[in-house]
Structures are given as structure tokens and as C-alpha cells.
Amino acid sequence: MADVLPLVEARLTTALGEPDARAAVTFLGTDRIEVLRFQEGDVVRYATLGMSAHPMTDPNAMVADPVEGPRAELVLSVRAGLADTDKVLRPLAVLAASPQVEGLIVAPGASLDVGDPLWPAAPFTSVLVGEPGGLVEDLELDDPMEPVRFLPLLPMTPNEAAWKRVHGAQALQERWLANGTDLRDPARGSVTLD
């Protein structure tokens, strides 16, 4: 089996350009997770590298399949210069390590919560996992491996996260769209919820 991570990094640089910074985090009992930073105009993007090294495994499975299963990396886009968003590196690495640590399968529509602000003074402690295929195309791998999907993360305020639990991801995204919410604004308030 070919090492997946060089292919993933190549796909990221093809889609987003060369990273201008990178950081690595290793948690006890997990593989190293890197977070790459890409600057494009007034938008900064953070992408994980390492989550897709192994397929995500159903937490109910008796044995983890080393080949088959969904693979993903996470991508967060925010407006530059409005907050100290570079401090999001560790929370992003925590989210990217969650499939290894907690046996989660991260999929579109899921909520991921870090329990603390994503960066200093951030109004967000959680993210909604968006649909792949927009910013970075899926990376096809040799059979029987599933493609690597690049999942956008949409920061949620605690009120939005609670509302999403009741009404669902689609309803929250429709609410954001109807209100013209700038999901890249690192200091935005909660969308109107009623």
C-alpha cells in the first residue's frame, strides 16, 4: 500500500497553493497530525494532514480494517487579521485525531466539539462538518481504499450547536444561508434562531 499522506499533501497544495506555515501535534497513542496554513488574500485556510493515514473504523467493529473505510482531512477557512486564529492548530489536531482516539467516523452533518474556544476569545467551541468536494476535490486511491474526502468545518456558536441538535444540520445551514451569515468571520455572532 502506498503512503497516503504525500498524495494528500500534493492534493492540498494543488488546490490551495503552498502552505506558509505548518505545525505538528502528537497525542499519546496516535500518529502525528500536522496542520498546514494557507493564505489566500484575506482568507486563511487550515488543513489537517495525518487523519487520512488510516481509514476511520466503526466504533462497534471488533477489529479495525487497515485498508477499507472512509478517509478524510479537515479544512477550516476564516478571514485573516480579525482574530488570533493561528491558535486553532491544536483544537484542529484534536478533532483530526478523534477517529484514532475515540473511534469516531467523521462525516458531513456531524458536530465536533472541543469544549473550549477554537482560538482565544472565539465565540465557537464546536464545528459543523460540511459536504466535501467544493474547495478541495476528493483524492481517489487504489482499490479497495476509499477516496480521501476534504471536509470543510463550519464554526458554530453554542446556541447554534444546540439548535442544530434539535433541528438538524440542513436546517442550520439553511438558516445561515437565509440570513447571509459570513461563516468565515472569526468573530461573528450567532445567527437568529427562533
Side-chain angles (χ1 to χ4, degrees), residues 62-192:
M62 295 296 283
V63 179
D65 190 317
V67 178
E68 293 187 49
R71 294 175 190 256
E73 295 290 353
L74 308 175
V75 180
L76 173 70
S77 300
V78 292
R79 298 218 177 280
L82 302 176
D84 189 8
T85 57
D86 280 351
K87 297 283 197 286
V88 78
L89 301 178
R90 186 167 177 77
L92 268 183
V94 167
L95 296 178
S98 61
Q100 285 183 61
V101 174
E102 300 175 34
L104 295 178
I105 293 181
V106 177
S111 298
L112 303 175
D113 196 319
V114 294
D116 290 311
L118 293 175
W119 51 83
F124 318 106
T125 60
S126 63
V127 293
L128 174 65
V129 180
E131 292 290 334
L135 189 61
V136 184
E137 287 184 33
D138 293 352
L139 172 64
E140 297 294 331
L141 300 173
D142 295 335
D143 280 337
M145 294 189 288
E146 290 187 30
V148 176
R149 292 182 169 33
F150 297 88
L151 302 172
L153 299 181
L154 310 172
M156 293 188 292
T157 66
N159 285 346
E160 290 170 340
W163 197 85
K164 182 252 175 198
R165 280 192 293 277
V166 174
H167 300 282
Q170 185 68 35
L172 178 58
Q173 289 176 308
E174 288 169 4
R175 182 63 54 107
W176 281 336
L177 191 61
N179 285 276
T181 305
D182 181 2
L183 297 175
R184 294 179 181 166
D185 180 352
R188 74 172 179 84
S190 187
V191 71
T192 305

Side-chain angles (χ1 to χ4, degrees), residues 40-59:
E40 182 186 336
D42 71 336
V43 174
V44 61
R45 302 185 199 286
Y46 302 93
T48 62
L49 179 63
M51 183 177 169
S52 62
H54 305 285
M56 293 180 273
T57 304
D58 183 334

Side-chain angles (χ1 to χ4, degrees), residues 18-22 36-39 44:
E18 285 298 320
D20 66 355
R22 67 173 60 216
L36 310 181
R37 185 181 71 189
F38 303 87
Q39 184 85 37
V44 61

